[in-house]
Amino acid sequence: MKMWSGRFRQPLDAEFEQWQRSFPYDGRLLPFELVASGAHARALERAGVLTPAELTEILTGLDQIGSRAEASPEFLNDPEAEDVHHFVEKQLATLIGSVGYKLHTGRSRNEQIATDLRLFVRASIDTLQEMLASWIDAFLTRAEKAGNAAMPAYTHLQPAEPVLVAHWLLAYVEMFLRDAERLTDCRKRANLCPLGSGAVAGATLTLNRQAMAAELGFDAPTANSIDATSDRDFAIEFVNALSQLALHLSRWAEEMILFSTPAYGFVELPEPYSTGSSAMPQKKNPDLLELARGKAARVMGCATTLQTLVKGLPLAYNKDLQETQEPLFDAADTVISMLPLVTGWMQTVDFNDAKMNQAAQSGFMNAWAAAAYLVDRGVPSRLAHEAVGKAVQLCIERGCELKDLTLGDLHSIHEAFKSDFPSCLGLPEVLALHDVPGGTAPRHVKRALQNARERAAALRTQEPLAAR
Ligand code: ARG
């Protein structure tokens, strides 16, 4: 039977009836709907609405629904179920008769969907944190292996200064650690229990909300029934955090694509994650990276959809909120399916250390170090800059590097250049010059790596849901 047919005299338009259903996509919330219903049933028994025997019947019924859904996905092919809440009610009545209809006493689907979605977001965050830990680990392992290998760093995509490969990899680690932190933070606000909020004004029974919240691993009940039934901030925050993560993945993907082109040649695309061209036999294309870059658009689109849905929505529950489900699921699915693949890519890819190292030593990336040499000898910074600029210009004309200029050449530009000048131009000297915490001097990168390892390990030690 329908959940609301009593006051209606006419049947629903058949097309509308199908069109307004959410069950085709909210069926995936079944596990959450079942545990939340179990918690509500126990609260009903404590409130004296269900006898202990009725409670047992209901809990057994809910269990059976869960097992049947797990055993065969076709069980969920129910063209009549309006949504996951209706599906459970129908199945429960089929299994245990009219006692099943007692489960809905004192509750509303408005609090149920808010609860299920919070449980979905929480479970997704826990999955994502595990995945992010492996993803970050792939960078840290590579950074450890890279030792003192160097590469160019770019500004304006023009060669700027040499850096340690490890320093470059740790830049990505920072981005992804921030993403993990954002998810942890989002989880805190999501982890509150709407059960007991009713349709909008609170349950019509004195249900023990603390007990329901605790049973479901929530930190506390939500504070206001109007907010609890209309709030989707937790979904918006979550998908915004995913957007930011997807955005970082797309920046990473773009840089890998660039570095894999022959012009750079720093990255050898791993065959298990690349494809060929049907036309050009020589091609190996970075499809995984291109799709990762593209998926960011999709996740950001989901975030925009969610925000636009809630914008201007009056309190409290409005059916528009049903439309928040699909973008929420899509964003979570997109990122959850992507992370293990990019991790596999990162674990498999080969970096061309020789090419990176060579690129780090050409193209005047030691020019700032050359200017620092003059500054050390009392030349004002602006004048040192000017002098080295002139030296670079001379090199460009001659097709050589700074170290190839004679002392005579240098003196014609500035008399502070001395015969020891070339000793400041070598790669190790240039790297060591950046001797500040957060800079690329090897001793600081070593410490930064250790520090990042510790912060990444903390991701794994966060209390998992199962341990609650
Ligand atoms: N399927 C609905 C949704 O996802 C459940 C809540 C329905 N509530 C209502 N008052 N019609 O939003």
Side-chain angles (χ1 to χ4, degrees):
M1 89 188 261
K2 282 212 178 340
M3 299 185 90
W4 43 261
S5 50
R7 67 95 67 214
F8 281 77
R9 286 171 303 175
Q10 292 178 20
L12 282 188
D13 173 88
E15 211 174 308
F16 168 64
E17 180 161 19
Q18 282 307 312
W19 179 77
Q20 56 95 43
R21 296 170 65 230
S22 54
F23 192 55
Y25 46 85
D26 71 14
R28 67 186 289 164
L29 295 174
L30 184 68
F32 305 120
E33 176 70 10
L34 293 173
V35 287
S37 292
H40 178 72
R42 286 193 186 89
L44 286 179
E45 193 256 350
R46 267 183 241 115
V49 176
L50 295 178
T51 65
E54 286 171 333
L55 173 65
T56 307
E57 265 190 278
I58 287 177
L59 292 180
T60 313
L62 293 173
D63 260 3
Q64 278 174 13
I65 295 170
S67 324
R68 283 184 69 177
E70 246 174 61
S72 73
E74 302 88 69
F75 177 54
L76 290 158
N77 292 341
D78 179 347
E80 273 169 24
E82 195 175 311
D83 52 26
V84 67
H85 325 292
H86 185 209
F87 177 76
V88 169
E89 179 169 295
K90 273 183 64 186
Q91 294 301 331
L92 203 55
T94 309
L95 282 168
I96 64 173
S98 61
V99 177
Y101 289 131
K102 288 197 174 182
L103 177 60
H104 205 60
T105 317
R107 75 171 177 174
S108 156
R109 283 184 293 164
N110 300 352
E111 61 181 306
Q112 286 172 257
I113 188 61
T115 305
D116 293 356
L117 291 178
R118 280 174 185 265
L119 289 170
F120 170 84
V121 165
R122 189 178 73 184
S124 302
I125 289 176
D126 293 343
T127 302
L128 282 158
Q129 293 289 24
E130 270 301 309
M131 290 179 164
L132 270 176
S134 304
W135 168 237
I136 290 170
D137 187 66
F139 281 82
L140 293 173
T141 305
R142 280 212 164 263
E144 272 152 16
K145 279 206 196 111
N148 280 352
M151 65 183 289
Y154 301 84
T155 67
H156 311 266
L157 205 51
Q158 304 292 331
E161 295 186 272
V163 289
L164 287 189
V165 170
H167 193 52
W168 168 66
L169 291 167
L170 286 175
Y172 284 109
V173 169
E174 290 302 318
M175 289 189 205
F176 295 111
L177 281 174
R178 283 198 294 274
D179 292 325
E181 260 175 44
R182 252 184 292 276
L183 288 171
T184 302
D185 197 49
C186 166
R187 193 188 194 282
K188 280 185 220 151
R189 278 178 295 277
N191 203 29
L192 299 172
C193 186
L195 290 188
S197 298
V200 60
T204 51
L205 293 163
T206 41
L207 298 174
N208 185 338
R209 296 195 64 207
Q210 290 290 349
M212 289 193 284
E215 212 175 297
L216 296 172
F218 284 115
D219 293 330
T222 49
N224 179 292
S225 61
I226 305 173
D227 176 54
T229 48
S230 69
D231 172 37
R232 292 295 181 272
D233 287 2
F234 61 89
I236 295 173
E237 267 192 78
F238 173 58
V239 177
N240 278 341
L242 291 181
S243 297
Q244 186 92 51
L245 167 51
L247 192 140
H248 289 155
L249 286 170
S250 103
R251 290 187 74 174
W252 164 81
E254 170 60 14
E255 197 162 59
M256 295 301 134
I257 292 171
L258 216 54
F259 285 175
S260 75
T261 59
Y264 287 86
F266 296 168
V267 164
E268 184 57 47
L269 293 175
E271 290 192 13
Y273 297 103
S274 307
T275 63
S277 155
S278 61
M280 295 163 282
Q282 85 283 11
K283 290 296 288 292
K284 182 166 67 167
N285 292 329
D287 294 40
L288 177 139
L289 300 169
E290 292 168 284
L291 285 173
R293 190 175 56 186
K295 300 270 183 204
R298 180 168 170 163
V299 179
M300 290 155 83
C302 293
T304 305
T305 305
L306 284 176
Q307 288 174 334
T308 315
L309 269 167
V310 175
K311 179 195 165 297
L313 208 62
L315 294 174
Y317 178 83
N318 295 274
K319 187 87 169 202
D320 315 39
L321 291 176
Q322 183 167 288
E323 288 290 309
T324 60
Q325 292 189 25
E326 285 172 294
L328 169 63
F329 298 153
D330 190 34
D333 291 345
T334 301
V335 178
I336 286 175
S337 68
M338 186 158 43
L339 276 175
L341 291 170
V342 290
T343 304
W345 190 98
M346 199 59 191
Q347 287 164 341
T348 327
V349 69
D350 277 328
F351 289 156
N352 190 332
D353 294 343
K355 261 213 152 134
M356 287 169 128
N357 221 55
Q358 191 204 334
Q361 295 181 72
S362 52
F364 311 110
M365 280 188 289
N366 49 9
W368 200 349
Y373 169 92
L374 290 180
V375 168
D376 262 2
R377 279 146 192 85
V379 181
S381 164
R382 182 54 57 226
L383 304 180
H385 183 287
E386 195 65 16
V388 174
K390 285 194 176 122
V392 167
Q393 187 53 49
L394 189 59
C395 290
I396 293 170
E397 283 160 22
R398 296 210 186 142
C400 68
E401 291 281 336
L402 286 170
K403 67 173 169 29
D404 304 320
L405 295 177
T406 65
L407 200 53
D409 296 331
L410 292 164
H411 276 164
S412 71
I413 297 169
H414 204 294
E415 72 280 4
F417 285 115
K418 298 285 178 266
S419 60
D420 64 348
F421 174 61
S423 67
C424 80
L425 298 173
L427 184 57
E429 289 74 27
V430 178
L431 289 167
L433 191 62
H434 301 270
D435 195 26
V436 284
T440 200
R443 69 186 190 110
H444 286 294
V445 174
K446 208 168 160 197
R447 259 186 239 153
L449 187 50
Q450 245 165 24
N451 174 279
R453 262 267 175 246
E454 281 159 27
R455 284 183 291 150
L459 292 182
R460 295 227 199 249
T461 55
Q462 278 172 13
E463 193 186 5
L465 179 59
R468 283 171 167 281

